Amino acid sequence: MTVRLTRSLMSLAALATVWANGAAQTTSPLPERAIRRDIPLTNAIRRAFAAGTRDSTGRPGRNYWQLRTDYTISARLDAATSRISGRESVLIHNTSPDSLTSILLRLDPNIFLGTVPRAAPWVPAENTDGMVITRMTVNGEAVNLSAPPAPPGGPGPDPTRPTELRALGLNTTVARIALPTPIARRSSATLEIDWSFKLPGGPGAGHRMTMRWGDTLYQPTQWFPRVAVYDDLRGWDTEVYLGPSEFYNNFGRFDVKIDVPAGWIVSGTGVLQNPEEVLTPAARERLSRVLESDVVRTIVGPDEVGPGKATAAGDRLVWHLVADTVNDFAWATAKQYVWQATRATIPGKGPVPIHMVFLPERARFYANAGPIARHALEFYSRLWMPYEFPQLTLQDGPSAGMEYPMVINSNQGAADHETGHQWWPMMVSNNETWYGWMDEGFNQYMNILSAADTRQQPPNLDGPGQSYGRISGTEAEPPMMWNANYAGPMYGFQTYSKTPLMLSMLGGIVGDSAVQRAHAEWAWAWAFKHPSPWDYLFFMSNALKHDLGWFWYYWLFTTESVDGSIQDVTTAGSQTSVVVRQDGQMPSPVVLKVQFAPTGPALRPMRNATVVDGVSAVVTYPVDVWFAGSRTFTAVLDFGGRAIERITLDPYCRFPDRDPGDNAWPREAAVPAQAQTGGCRG
Ligand SMILES: [Zn+2]
């Protein structure tokens, strides 16, 4: 776009400087545009750098640490009341350099109390009594549960010298256990909790707001008290659970025993430890063949219903699942699940099973689910790093479109995306609550690549980068570094949609395959760890061998765009001068596509140009041409005198632009919307 206002403002500012200095002769004018070129640091990341837990290599620092929490859970489902009762023991390994004077507990089911803050428009299926805790001990000592309730907004301040072992805020989504005897650094503590939770049913709005269909199908998620993350950036993670923003959990081992009526099939995170106790001999025989081929096999068919047919005989059965290193645990059960299975072949590792459990009348939603999940597991394993878990399960139910370790609540519709989440946040475990773009955004980007691979076409990332220019300036847009838990009405754009636009532009600078290679190296560096955004930014800048501070600053910390245009083109002799202007605050390289007359003098090569074919060339100038502060840059083309018919700025549509119509010369009187992107979207 072409706004002259900035130029006249600059003149005023320059004039003011002259007046202030009193002497006009030696004053240089302010730049038209001051470009910030570093990555802003917050106090949290400064502290981490100082402590050596993270550093500007973008790799885990020499002093990096993270908590580990190992869970042993016994849970019983009572279908008549839709209630799960559980007893859990959590071994908390305090690997931090601090002695912990409290433990923070995540009690997500309290979002169903109806008394805690929730982000609109997320509506629970029903209000319940939330997470009911009846007994709690720390290292065998009873915790006082009748302490006065905390305000509904959160856990309250950390008491510096608690005199009594007590829990605060059990009526909120983040409770605090005050410890008169701290957990010393490099030691561990055992937390035991007895609890129960009614699974909400009915017509809820938003993921995770409905966890059952009637009293015959259940998808328990966020279903047990979890120990919050304590990290080097913020200490305890005190963020409340508001609904849309997702999670930040410790890695650890889960040993889970689930007691359900016989005949009900259970699926979940981990590997089934006792198939001979809960499955029929027929089902076990069928399972033993799953890894033999890509065939989708039926393990329990629609006509195999009830104790002795769907499962082993009996009144109730206890399913024992174990997962070694995961950051959450989810499961599902139904009175009449059909169970199918196939396999995916993970490069460098071999075949792993893909399980699918669904209601018989919904089989059509799972007809292609196996092949889609297989493609996702194999494709993303090649793109980033091999799928590390021993299985993947797709679970049917009201929660459709949600991810957990080894488990996705999804049918074929979201199978590619939800499987993609096994890489982030399940293997590379970002803080989703604050920085949802590091899992949802990366996932949206790789879904584009997976979809193209499914069509057996090269991916086309031309277009998304430029399209951001039409969104930039929307007042409701929070910068990506703003805490997504409070992102507001543009949460979806901030968390999901903007990242592929950013990575489209990055590919326009360094090449898409370079972006993907660097991203894969980053994934390897942070597998089963908790990277911050800064770790990603510094790692990528180093891996790409580019000074990208300016790029990360404008994309992540601001909502600015480039807004490039061609202002003027003049020819003298064999030279053509192209005046390019950028009205936005974000700079970009200057990329010009030059289309020549079909005949005339031979094309003389230019150092920074690539001849595409006999009649066109692409000329590139690095972003550095803007760093001196001018808003205009004159590109002098000399291809030996062949007549130029058309010049296009940003021909691959990678740089955010409010009005791409002024990117062409000669300027057409009216540019149809289709032509504005020059067919960039393929
Ligand atoms: Zn997602």
Side-chain angles (χ1 to χ4, degrees):
M1 61 174 280
T2 51
V3 178
R4 294 296 181 186
L5 182 63
T6 321
R7 189 181 287 262
S8 50
L9 280 176
M10 182 280 297
S11 308
L12 278 177
L15 204 53
T17 311
V18 171
W19 287 338
N21 287 354
Q25 299 95 314
T26 57
T27 307
S28 57
L30 293 175
E32 290 179 287
R33 174 172 66 167
I35 294 166
R36 182 162 179 174
R37 294 176 56 190
D38 65 326
I39 297 169
L41 302 179
T42 62
N43 291 341
I45 195 73
R46 281 196 192 99
R47 279 195 299 271
F49 278 21
T53 52
R54 299 163 199 263
D55 59 47
S56 62
T57 64
R59 294 179 177 276
R62 66 191 183 286
N63 296 328
Y64 179 81
W65 55 267
Q66 64 190 28
L67 242 52
R68 183 179 170 94
T69 50
D70 297 325
Y71 289 78
T72 306
I73 306 176
S74 292
R76 183 182 196 278
L77 171 70
D78 178 28
T81 57
S82 294
R83 208 165 181 92
I84 307 175
S85 305
R87 167 166 292 190
E88 73 187 51
S89 170
V90 193
L91 185 57
I92 303 167
H93 305 269
N94 179 16
T95 50
S96 84
D98 310 321
S99 99
L100 303 176
T101 54
S102 61
I103 300 169
L104 253 68
L105 272 189
R106 309 217 70 93
L107 304 177
D108 295 11
N110 281 341
I111 201 167
F112 299 106
L113 279 173
T115 57
V116 302
R118 283 196 302 259
W122 284 45
V123 183
E126 62 177 326
N127 283 348
T128 69
D129 52 356
M131 176 58 77
V132 177
I133 292 178
T134 49
R135 186 185 75 96
M136 196 188 288
T137 65
V138 175
N139 290 333
E141 251 189 274
V143 178
N144 179 359
L145 302 178
S146 56
D158 192 358
T160 44
R161 283 181 192 279
T163 53
E164 186 195 17
L165 181 60
R166 63 174 188 170
L168 305 148
L170 292 175
N171 57 327
T172 74
T173 55
V174 190
R176 187 188 293 280
I177 307 166
L179 305 173
T181 309
I183 308 173
R185 64 200 202 110
R186 318 251 187 271
S187 77
S188 56
T190 302
L191 170 67
E192 285 184 2
I193 308 178
D194 290 359
W195 51 267
S196 72
F197 164 45
K198 183 186 179 190
L199 293 157
H207 291 307
R208 312 189 289 273
M209 285 300 177
T210 308
M211 297 187 189
R212 64 183 168 91
W213 273 331
D215 57 2
T216 55
L217 183 150
Y218 296 88
Q219 284 171 301
T221 56
Q222 296 85 243
W223 56 285
F224 58 95
R226 293 179 293 189
V227 173
V229 170
Y230 184 88
D231 72 15
D232 58 319
L233 295 170
R234 301 191 182 90
W236 286 113
D237 173 28
T238 58
E239 285 296 308
V240 293
Y241 176 48
L242 295 173
S245 251
E246 293 177 348
F247 313 112
Y248 186 33
N249 291 319
N250 299 298
F251 282 108
R253 182 172 199 267
F254 280 81
D255 185 312
V256 181
K257 289 180 175 148
I258 299 167
D259 179 342
V260 298
W264 292 49
I265 287 170
V266 171
S267 61
T269 302
V271 174
L272 183 63
Q273 304 294 302
N274 58 341
E276 67 292 342
E277 286 172 26
V278 295
L279 302 184
T280 63
R284 281 184 276 139
E285 195 280 328
R286 294 166 193 163
L287 272 175
S288 72
R289 307 175 67 83
V290 166
L291 299 184
E292 288 174 4
S293 77
D294 285 353
V295 168
V296 176
R297 295 169 194 274
T298 297
I299 310 302
V300 176
D303 48 351
E304 296 171 296
V305 183
K309 298 196 176 73
T311 67
D315 175 35
R316 294 188 66 94
L317 297 172
V318 178
W319 298 60
H320 184 195
L321 295 160
V322 170
D324 277 328
T325 300
V326 288
N327 56 16
D328 204 352
F329 188 103
W331 56 287
T333 189
K335 192 172 187 174
Q336 197 187 345
Y337 263 151
V338 172
W339 179 357
Q340 292 187 335
T342 183
R343 71 170 186 184
T345 304
I346 308 302
K349 182 176 168 185
V352 296
I354 299 169
H355 301 286
M356 295 171 278
V357 289
F358 52 86
L359 295 186
E361 64 270 26
R362 290 168 51 82
R364 66 187 184 283
F365 299 119
Y366 286 81
N368 297 316
I372 292 171
R374 168 166 47 242
H375 177 268
L377 286 175
E378 295 176 354
F379 178 77
Y380 297 135
S381 286
R382 285 195 302 273
L383 185 64
W384 308 129
M385 60 182 171
Y387 182 65
E388 189 59 36
F389 300 121
Q391 58 101 356
L392 179 74
T393 301
L394 285 71
Q395 303 181 154
D396 192 14
S399 164
M402 203 38 224
E403 66 279 6
Y404 299 92
M406 302 184 219
V407 161
I408 60 177
N409 284 342
S410 175
N411 55 46
Q412 61 202 20
D416 181 69
H417 177 87
E418 307 310 341
T419 302
H421 277 302
Q422 297 303 318
W423 277 262
W424 12 91
M426 304 316 162
M427 286 192 272
V428 180
S429 183
N430 64 304
N431 182 339
E432 300 176 88
T433 319
W434 276 68
Y435 304 115
W437 61 270
M438 291 182 75
D439 63 297
E440 297 298 354
F442 291 160
N443 203 353
Q444 296 290 114
Y445 173 78
M446 64 205 242
N447 299 159
I448 299 170
L449 310 181
S450 175
D453 188 72
T454 301
R455 295 192 304 266
Q456 296 183 308
Q457 288 172 349
N460 183 357
L461 292 160
D462 293 347
Q466 190 182 76
S467 74
Y468 175 63
R470 295 193 286 279
I471 294 157
S472 167
T474 308
E475 287 178 310
E477 189 199 336
M480 280 155 79
M481 292 300 285
W482 178 251
N483 184 346
N485 215 17
Y486 308 101
M490 286 184 76
Y491 166 80
F493 181 77
Q494 181 215 32
T495 301
Y496 288 76
S497 310
K498 191 172 177 180
T499 302
L501 315 187
M502 172 176 81
L503 295 180
S504 162
M505 173 155 168
L506 186 57
I509 301 167
V510 301
D512 294 322
S513 55
V515 172
Q516 289 150 28
R517 273 197 307 276
H519 195 105
E521 289 172 28
W522 173 77
W524 278 101
W526 285 93
F528 297 96
K529 294 189 172 68
H530 302 297
S532 76
W534 290 271
D535 302 313
Y536 180 72
L537 313 186
F538 285 114
F539 190 99
M540 292 293 281
S541 293
N542 291 326
L544 292 167
K545 298 182 172 60
H546 263 67
D547 180 6
L548 290 167
W550 64 274
F551 178 87
W552 303 123
Y553 171 67
Y554 286 102
W555 273 100
L556 292 161
F557 292 83
T558 82
T559 57
E560 304 285 354
S561 74
V562 176
D563 283 340
S565 58
I566 295 179
Q567 292 290 300
D568 196 17
V569 176
T570 50
T571 298
S574 68
Q575 290 194 337
T576 296
S577 298
V578 185
V579 180
V580 174
R581 182 173 170 83
Q582 292 188 345
D583 282 288
Q585 203 60 32
M586 179 196 287
S588 75
V590 174
V591 182
L592 296 167
K593 183 175 184 186
V594 185
Q595 287 161 278
F596 301 98
T599 55
L603 292 181
R604 183 196 298 166
M606 271 183 69
R607 196 168 40 84
N608 55 337
T610 307
V611 175
V612 179
D613 51 42
V615 289
S616 62
V618 173
V619 194
T620 304
Y621 300 86
V623 67
D624 309 53
V625 301
W626 304 107
F627 289 164
S630 174
R631 283 194 177 274
T632 56
F633 166 72
T634 302
V636 179
L637 312 179
D638 191 344
F639 285 96
R642 175 89 68 99
I644 291 173
E645 292 191 336
R646 184 181 166 92
I647 301 172
T648 310
L649 175 68
D650 187 20
Y652 304 114
C653 309
R654 297 286 182 140
F655 308 135
D657 202 340
R658 194 180 311 275
D659 175 16
D662 56 18
N663 287 6
W665 195 274
R667 186 94 82 241
E668 280 80 4
V671 183
Q674 193 82 41
Q676 281 198 357
T677 55
C680 279
R681 279 199 176 271

PDB file of all heavy atoms in Angstrom, residues 207 246 401-403 414 417-418 420-421 424-425 432 436 439-441 443-444 447 495-496, ligand 1:
ATOM      1  N   HIS A 207     -14.019 -28.508  22.754  1.00  0.00           N
ATOM      2  CA  HIS A 207     -13.350 -29.761  23.054  1.00  0.00           C
ATOM      3  C   HIS A 207     -13.329 -29.992  24.556  1.00  0.00           C
ATOM      4  O   HIS A 207     -13.243 -29.060  25.326  1.00  0.00           O
ATOM      5  CB  HIS A 207     -11.870 -29.697  22.648  1.00  0.00           C
ATOM      6  CG  HIS A 207     -11.641 -29.647  21.198  1.00  0.00           C
ATOM      7  ND1 HIS A 207     -12.161 -30.537  20.330  1.00  0.00           N
ATOM      8  CD2 HIS A 207     -10.918 -28.790  20.462  1.00  0.00           C
ATOM      9  CE1 HIS A 207     -11.766 -30.244  19.121  1.00  0.00           C
ATOM     10  NE2 HIS A 207     -11.020 -29.184  19.170  1.00  0.00           N
ATOM     11  N   GLU A 246      -4.413 -25.241  26.123  1.00  0.00           N
ATOM     12  CA  GLU A 246      -4.156 -26.610  26.549  1.00  0.00           C
ATOM     13  C   GLU A 246      -3.126 -26.674  27.668  1.00  0.00           C
ATOM     14  O   GLU A 246      -3.088 -25.809  28.526  1.00  0.00           O
ATOM     15  CB  GLU A 246      -3.843 -27.473  25.330  1.00  0.00           C
ATOM     16  CG  GLU A 246      -5.107 -27.582  24.478  1.00  0.00           C
ATOM     17  CD  GLU A 246      -4.965 -28.343  23.182  1.00  0.00           C
ATOM     18  OE1 GLU A 246      -3.839 -28.646  22.762  1.00  0.00           O
ATOM     19  OE2 GLU A 246      -6.003 -28.646  22.583  1.00  0.00           O
ATOM     20  N   GLY A 401     -11.294 -34.691  18.241  1.00  0.00           N
ATOM     21  CA  GLY A 401     -10.346 -33.660  17.842  1.00  0.00           C
ATOM     22  C   GLY A 401      -9.482 -33.264  19.015  1.00  0.00           C
ATOM     23  O   GLY A 401      -9.279 -32.080  19.290  1.00  0.00           O
ATOM     24  N   MET A 402      -8.982 -34.243  19.735  1.00  0.00           N
ATOM     25  CA  MET A 402      -8.143 -33.956  20.899  1.00  0.00           C
ATOM     26  C   MET A 402      -7.048 -35.001  20.982  1.00  0.00           C
ATOM     27  O   MET A 402      -7.221 -36.140  20.564  1.00  0.00           O
ATOM     28  CB  MET A 402      -9.038 -33.961  22.140  1.00  0.00           C
ATOM     29  CG  MET A 402      -8.518 -33.180  23.321  1.00  0.00           C
ATOM     30  SD  MET A 402      -7.666 -31.651  22.975  1.00  0.00           S
ATOM     31  CE  MET A 402      -6.289 -31.829  24.103  1.00  0.00           C
ATOM     32  N   GLU A 403      -5.890 -34.575  21.535  1.00  0.00           N
ATOM     33  CA  GLU A 403      -4.704 -35.419  21.510  1.00  0.00           C
ATOM     34  C   GLU A 403      -4.155 -35.653  22.899  1.00  0.00           C
ATOM     35  O   GLU A 403      -4.195 -34.767  23.756  1.00  0.00           O
ATOM     36  CB  GLU A 403      -3.627 -34.750  20.636  1.00  0.00           C
ATOM     37  CG  GLU A 403      -3.077 -33.429  21.198  1.00  0.00           C
ATOM     38  CD  GLU A 403      -3.949 -32.213  20.938  1.00  0.00           C
ATOM     39  OE1 GLU A 403      -5.056 -32.378  20.415  1.00  0.00           O
ATOM     40  OE2 GLU A 403      -3.522 -31.089  21.265  1.00  0.00           O
ATOM     41  N   ALA A 414      -9.961 -35.768  11.728  1.00  0.00           N
ATOM     42  CA  ALA A 414      -8.830 -35.018  12.276  1.00  0.00           C
ATOM     43  C   ALA A 414      -7.627 -35.925  12.511  1.00  0.00           C
ATOM     44  O   ALA A 414      -6.689 -35.537  13.205  1.00  0.00           O
ATOM     45  CB  ALA A 414      -9.237 -34.332  13.582  1.00  0.00           C
ATOM     46  N   HIS A 417      -4.053 -34.437  11.756  1.00  0.00           N
ATOM     47  CA  HIS A 417      -3.664 -33.369  12.685  1.00  0.00           C
ATOM     48  C   HIS A 417      -3.397 -33.927  14.089  1.00  0.00           C
ATOM     49  O   HIS A 417      -2.364 -33.616  14.702  1.00  0.00           O
ATOM     50  CB  HIS A 417      -4.756 -32.308  12.725  1.00  0.00           C
ATOM     51  CG  HIS A 417      -4.510 -31.209  13.698  1.00  0.00           C
ATOM     52  ND1 HIS A 417      -3.780 -30.076  13.378  1.00  0.00           N
ATOM     53  CD2 HIS A 417      -4.858 -31.075  15.001  1.00  0.00           C
ATOM     54  CE1 HIS A 417      -3.711 -29.301  14.449  1.00  0.00           C
ATOM     55  NE2 HIS A 417      -4.357 -29.872  15.441  1.00  0.00           N
ATOM     56  N   GLU A 418      -4.321 -34.728  14.590  1.00  0.00           N
ATOM     57  CA  GLU A 418      -4.156 -35.208  15.973  1.00  0.00           C
ATOM     58  C   GLU A 418      -2.964 -36.152  16.088  1.00  0.00           C
ATOM     59  O   GLU A 418      -2.278 -36.166  17.116  1.00  0.00           O
ATOM     60  CB  GLU A 418      -5.439 -35.870  16.478  1.00  0.00           C
ATOM     61  CG  GLU A 418      -6.720 -35.035  16.339  1.00  0.00           C
ATOM     62  CD  GLU A 418      -6.617 -33.623  16.883  1.00  0.00           C
ATOM     63  OE1 GLU A 418      -5.720 -33.345  17.692  1.00  0.00           O
ATOM     64  OE2 GLU A 418      -7.442 -32.782  16.476  1.00  0.00           O
ATOM     65  N   GLY A 420      -0.321 -35.752  14.358  1.00  0.00           N
ATOM     66  CA  GLY A 420       0.804 -34.809  14.346  1.00  0.00           C
ATOM     67  C   GLY A 420       1.163 -34.316  15.743  1.00  0.00           C
ATOM     68  O   GLY A 420       2.326 -34.015  16.028  1.00  0.00           O
ATOM     69  N   HIS A 421       0.172 -34.241  16.622  1.00  0.00           N
ATOM     70  CA  HIS A 421       0.443 -33.789  17.989  1.00  0.00           C
ATOM     71  C   HIS A 421       1.328 -34.753  18.762  1.00  0.00           C
ATOM     72  O   HIS A 421       1.842 -34.397  19.825  1.00  0.00           O
ATOM     73  CB  HIS A 421      -0.858 -33.588  18.754  1.00  0.00           C
ATOM     74  CG  HIS A 421      -1.496 -32.257  18.503  1.00  0.00           C
ATOM     75  ND1 HIS A 421      -0.849 -31.075  18.750  1.00  0.00           N
ATOM     76  CD2 HIS A 421      -2.720 -31.923  18.028  1.00  0.00           C
ATOM     77  CE1 HIS A 421      -1.659 -30.067  18.449  1.00  0.00           C
ATOM     78  NE2 HIS A 421      -2.787 -30.547  17.999  1.00  0.00           N
ATOM     79  N   TRP A 424       4.488 -32.745  18.837  1.00  0.00           N
ATOM     80  CA  TRP A 424       4.347 -31.648  19.804  1.00  0.00           C
ATOM     81  C   TRP A 424       2.893 -31.586  20.181  1.00  0.00           C
ATOM     82  O   TRP A 424       2.050 -31.507  19.319  1.00  0.00           O
ATOM     83  CB  TRP A 424       4.825 -30.296  19.242  1.00  0.00           C
ATOM     84  CG  TRP A 424       5.060 -30.271  17.788  1.00  0.00           C
ATOM     85  CD1 TRP A 424       4.168 -29.953  16.813  1.00  0.00           C
ATOM     86  CD2 TRP A 424       6.313 -30.576  17.117  1.00  0.00           C
ATOM     87  NE1 TRP A 424       4.758 -30.066  15.595  1.00  0.00           N
ATOM     88  CE2 TRP A 424       6.070 -30.436  15.751  1.00  0.00           C
ATOM     89  CE3 TRP A 424       7.581 -30.947  17.552  1.00  0.00           C
ATOM     90  CZ2 TRP A 424       7.063 -30.661  14.801  1.00  0.00           C
ATOM     91  CZ3 TRP A 424       8.552 -31.182  16.600  1.00  0.00           C
ATOM     92  CH2 TRP A 424       8.294 -31.026  15.246  1.00  0.00           C
ATOM     93  N   PRO A 425       2.584 -31.681  21.455  1.00  0.00           N
ATOM     94  CA  PRO A 425       3.464 -31.574  22.619  1.00  0.00           C
ATOM     95  C   PRO A 425       3.856 -32.924  23.242  1.00  0.00           C
ATOM     96  O   PRO A 425       4.417 -32.900  24.336  1.00  0.00           O
ATOM     97  CB  PRO A 425       2.575 -30.827  23.613  1.00  0.00           C
ATOM     98  CG  PRO A 425       1.223 -31.434  23.373  1.00  0.00           C
ATOM     99  CD  PRO A 425       1.164 -31.681  21.877  1.00  0.00           C
ATOM    100  N   GLU A 432       1.946 -25.445  26.287  1.00  0.00           N
ATOM    101  CA  GLU A 432       0.821 -25.136  25.390  1.00  0.00           C
ATOM    102  C   GLU A 432      -0.052 -24.022  25.939  1.00  0.00           C
ATOM    103  O   GLU A 432      -0.708 -23.324  25.177  1.00  0.00           O
ATOM    104  CB  GLU A 432      -0.063 -26.366  25.218  1.00  0.00           C
ATOM    105  CG  GLU A 432       0.593 -27.581  24.648  1.00  0.00           C
ATOM    106  CD  GLU A 432      -0.408 -28.724  24.656  1.00  0.00           C
ATOM    107  OE1 GLU A 432      -1.156 -28.858  23.677  1.00  0.00           O
ATOM    108  OE2 GLU A 432      -0.463 -29.465  25.651  1.00  0.00           O
ATOM    109  N   GLY A 436       0.688 -21.820  22.627  1.00  0.00           N
ATOM    110  CA  GLY A 436       0.013 -22.849  21.846  1.00  0.00           C
ATOM    111  C   GLY A 436       0.513 -22.928  20.413  1.00  0.00           C
ATOM    112  O   GLY A 436       0.389 -23.956  19.760  1.00  0.00           O
ATOM    113  N   ASP A 439       2.741 -25.882  19.399  1.00  0.00           N
ATOM    114  CA  ASP A 439       2.249 -27.210  19.006  1.00  0.00           C
ATOM    115  C   ASP A 439       1.166 -27.093  17.931  1.00  0.00           C
ATOM    116  O   ASP A 439       1.277 -27.694  16.877  1.00  0.00           O
ATOM    117  CB  ASP A 439       1.794 -28.051  20.202  1.00  0.00           C
ATOM    118  CG  ASP A 439       0.616 -27.450  20.935  1.00  0.00           C
ATOM    119  OD1 ASP A 439       0.751 -26.358  21.484  1.00  0.00           O
ATOM    120  OD2 ASP A 439      -0.451 -28.089  20.944  1.00  0.00           O
ATOM    121  N   GLU A 440       0.157 -26.243  18.172  1.00  0.00           N
ATOM    122  CA  GLU A 440      -0.905 -26.140  17.159  1.00  0.00           C
ATOM    123  C   GLU A 440      -0.394 -25.516  15.856  1.00  0.00           C
ATOM    124  O   GLU A 440      -0.723 -25.968  14.769  1.00  0.00           O
ATOM    125  CB  GLU A 440      -2.077 -25.316  17.703  1.00  0.00           C
ATOM    126  CG  GLU A 440      -2.769 -25.917  18.912  1.00  0.00           C
ATOM    127  CD  GLU A 440      -3.413 -27.267  18.643  1.00  0.00           C
ATOM    128  OE1 GLU A 440      -3.429 -27.720  17.473  1.00  0.00           O
ATOM    129  OE2 GLU A 440      -3.873 -27.889  19.611  1.00  0.00           O
ATOM    130  N   GLY A 441       0.410 -24.465  15.990  1.00  0.00           N
ATOM    131  CA  GLY A 441       0.897 -23.786  14.787  1.00  0.00           C
ATOM    132  C   GLY A 441       1.845 -24.654  13.979  1.00  0.00           C
ATOM    133  O   GLY A 441       1.726 -24.764  12.755  1.00  0.00           O
ATOM    134  N   ASN A 443       1.903 -27.789  13.999  1.00  0.00           N
ATOM    135  CA  ASN A 443       1.088 -28.887  13.476  1.00  0.00           C
ATOM    136  C   ASN A 443       0.347 -28.452  12.210  1.00  0.00           C
ATOM    137  O   ASN A 443       0.331 -29.171  11.200  1.00  0.00           O
ATOM    138  CB  ASN A 443       0.107 -29.330  14.568  1.00  0.00           C
ATOM    139  CG  ASN A 443      -0.384 -30.743  14.376  1.00  0.00           C
ATOM    140  OD1 ASN A 443      -0.103 -31.385  13.369  1.00  0.00           O
ATOM    141  ND2 ASN A 443      -1.151 -31.235  15.325  1.00  0.00           N
ATOM    142  N   GLN A 444      -0.230 -27.244  12.232  1.00  0.00           N
ATOM    143  CA  GLN A 444      -0.932 -26.757  11.035  1.00  0.00           C
ATOM    144  C   GLN A 444       0.015 -26.687   9.838  1.00  0.00           C
ATOM    145  O   GLN A 444      -0.356 -27.003   8.708  1.00  0.00           O
ATOM    146  CB  GLN A 444      -1.516 -25.364  11.294  1.00  0.00           C
ATOM    147  CG  GLN A 444      -2.579 -25.301  12.361  1.00  0.00           C
ATOM    148  CD  GLN A 444      -3.879 -25.966  11.938  1.00  0.00           C
ATOM    149  OE1 GLN A 444      -4.286 -26.973  12.493  1.00  0.00           O
ATOM    150  NE2 GLN A 444      -4.535 -25.412  10.943  1.00  0.00           N
ATOM    151  N   ASN A 447       0.743 -30.227   8.564  1.00  0.00           N
ATOM    152  CA  ASN A 447      -0.434 -30.815   7.921  1.00  0.00           C
ATOM    153  C   ASN A 447      -0.491 -30.437   6.443  1.00  0.00           C
ATOM    154  O   ASN A 447      -0.977 -31.210   5.614  1.00  0.00           O
ATOM    155  CB  ASN A 447      -1.724 -30.351   8.612  1.00  0.00           C
ATOM    156  CG  ASN A 447      -1.819 -30.740  10.083  1.00  0.00           C
ATOM    157  OD1 ASN A 447      -2.567 -30.140  10.838  1.00  0.00           O
ATOM    158  ND2 ASN A 447      -1.050 -31.740  10.522  1.00  0.00           N
ATOM    159  N   THR A 495      -2.959 -19.008  17.873  1.00  0.00           N
ATOM    160  CA  THR A 495      -2.428 -20.310  18.257  1.00  0.00           C
ATOM    161  C   THR A 495      -2.275 -21.246  17.063  1.00  0.00           C
ATOM    162  O   THR A 495      -1.294 -21.970  16.958  1.00  0.00           O
ATOM    163  CB  THR A 495      -3.358 -20.933  19.321  1.00  0.00           C
ATOM    164  OG1 THR A 495      -3.398 -20.042  20.433  1.00  0.00           O
ATOM    165  CG2 THR A 495      -2.855 -22.278  19.775  1.00  0.00           C
ATOM    166  N   TYR A 496      -3.224 -21.237  16.156  1.00  0.00           N
ATOM    167  CA  TYR A 496      -3.225 -22.195  15.048  1.00  0.00           C
ATOM    168  C   TYR A 496      -2.718 -21.601  13.726  1.00  0.00           C
ATOM    169  O   TYR A 496      -1.861 -22.171  13.063  1.00  0.00           O
ATOM    170  CB  TYR A 496      -4.644 -22.724  14.789  1.00  0.00           C
ATOM    171  CG  TYR A 496      -5.153 -23.673  15.840  1.00  0.00           C
ATOM    172  CD1 TYR A 496      -5.581 -23.207  17.074  1.00  0.00           C
ATOM    173  CD2 TYR A 496      -5.216 -25.029  15.590  1.00  0.00           C
ATOM    174  CE1 TYR A 496      -6.066 -24.080  18.041  1.00  0.00           C
ATOM    175  CE2 TYR A 496      -5.695 -25.914  16.548  1.00  0.00           C
ATOM    176  CZ  TYR A 496      -6.112 -25.430  17.770  1.00  0.00           C
ATOM    177  OH  TYR A 496      -6.566 -26.293  18.717  1.00  0.00           O
TER     178      TYR A 496
HETATM  179 ZN    ZN B   1      -4.322 -29.451  17.498  1.00  0.00          ZN
END
